[in-house]
Amino acid sequence: ACAGSVEAARSEFHQERGGAIPTSALHSIHIAPIELDVAKRLLIEHHYLRSIPGGTQISLGAFVEDRLLGVLTFGVGPANAHRLVAGAERTDCVTLTRLWLSDELPNNSESRVIGIALRSLAKETTLKFVLTYADPNAEHMGTIYQASNWIYIGESQASSLLDFGDGVPRNGRTVGHMFGTHSVKHFRKHGVNVTRIPQVPKHRYIYFLDKSWRDQLKPEQLAYPKKED
């Protein structure tokens, strides 16, 4: 996308609605970096978690012509995620932390946008692999990652989200980036009423940008999970 596309995203993305994009336009979708505050505004307005994760390093917009119709963010993810791959350092991986696409986009747009983003990361960065998580709490099994040929490596450890009374659930990493700690005991000691929201384990997927690292994956590749009838 040209600079004008990004500028249009900043000022006009929340004002223009053009109706459903025809399926024939699927291949006209392209991505470009966008400002973090633009990504944040869209995610707070449209994503089911109503937030942008702390530690976000890369924010990309999905465009059709000059219209911004989607957001992807990549960030640090779990502290020890790199240890899933032998010999990897923290700087070798990122986690796909948010994906939102407008309902105006046609079916299969998610897989196409993810594919474009992964090819861009492989070309423009030295990253070796990307992780992502599908949340069963939101009835997500990772179908779009399965369609994009990610490797399924089982479930993560269950964790809790934190609610500071504003109705916005935040994970510990985001809270840590915001306040320097995610200790519930610390917040309560200082008069902040924090509520834990228990979560079930999430489905984990990994995608190798550098295919030569595939043999260094420690967990066993598993069959894709499916929704029960």
Side-chain angles (χ1 to χ4, degrees), residues 135-172:
D135 186 1
N137 280 316
E139 300 185 354
H140 295 165
M141 302 297 291
T143 304
I144 57 175
Y145 308 122
Q146 297 174 19
S148 304
N149 297 316
W150 292 60
I151 297 169
Y152 179 61
I153 52 175
E155 296 181 336
S156 66
Q157 293 184 341
S159 60
S160 298
L161 299 178
L162 302 180
D163 184 351
F164 286 79
D166 56 1
V168 178
R170 299 177 175 89
N171 65 40

Side-chain angles (χ1 to χ4, degrees), residues 2-229:
C2 64
S5 297
V6 179
E7 184 59 37
R10 294 195 186 103
S11 60
E12 299 174 11
F13 73 85
H14 61 293
Q15 298 174 358
E16 296 188 358
R17 302 291 290 182
I21 303 297
T23 302
S24 59
L26 185 63
H27 294 285
S28 68
I29 298 173
H30 55 283
I31 66 169
I34 58 175
E35 297 290 342
L36 185 63
D37 63 336
V38 174
K40 181 178 180 179
R41 290 166 66 189
L42 272 171
L43 292 172
I44 289 175
E45 181 177 355
H46 297 292
H47 194 272
Y48 76 97
L49 289 177
R50 306 295 180 186
S51 65
I52 190 169
T56 297
Q57 299 171 327
I58 301 169
S59 51
L60 301 176
F63 293 84
V64 173
E65 296 179 348
D66 283 340
R67 298 186 63 214
L68 176 59
L69 296 173
V71 174
L72 305 91
T73 60
F74 298 83
V76 294
N80 295 320
H82 63 286
R83 295 182 180 176
L84 293 167
V85 177
E89 303 290 338
R90 290 185 179 180
T91 53
D92 290 324
C93 66
V94 289
T95 298
L96 172 57
T97 53
R98 291 287 187 275
L99 171 63
W100 169 80
L101 297 182
S102 168
D103 290 339
E104 296 178 47
L105 291 172
N107 293 334
N108 302 319
S109 294
E110 293 91 348
S111 296
R112 175 155 181 82
V113 167
I114 290 172
I116 296 171
L118 293 175
R119 289 192 292 274
S120 178
L121 291 178
K123 180 180 179 181
E124 304 294 340
T125 75
T126 60
L127 293 166
K128 308 304 181 186
F129 58 95
V130 181
L131 295 165
T132 195
Y133 298 80
D135 186 1
N137 280 316
E139 300 185 354
H140 295 165
M141 302 297 291
T143 304
I144 57 175
Y145 308 122
Q146 297 174 19
S148 304
N149 297 316
W150 292 60
I151 297 169
Y152 179 61
I153 52 175
E155 296 181 336
S156 66
Q157 293 184 341
S159 60
S160 298
L161 299 178
L162 302 180
D163 184 351
F164 286 79
D166 56 1
V168 178
R170 299 177 175 89
N171 65 40
R173 294 187 303 278
T174 296
V175 172
H177 280 283
M178 293 172 64
F179 302 108
T181 180
H182 53 76
S183 168
V184 171
K185 182 178 179 180
H186 169 84
F187 289 117
R188 289 176 176 170
K189 179 180 178 180
H190 289 83
V192 180
N193 185 21
V194 180
T195 302
R196 289 187 183 274
I197 307 173
Q199 302 291 293
V200 299
K202 296 180 180 179
H203 297 293
R204 297 184 303 177
Y205 292 84
I206 187 169
Y207 187 94
F208 285 93
L209 302 172
D210 185 336
K211 305 304 182 185
S212 68
W213 283 61
R214 169 66 180 84
D215 291 339
Q216 295 167 230
L217 177 63
K218 293 180 180 180
E220 179 184 1
Q221 179 175 354
L222 303 175
Y224 287 144
K226 303 297 181 183
K227 289 185 178 180
E228 298 180 359
D229 294 332

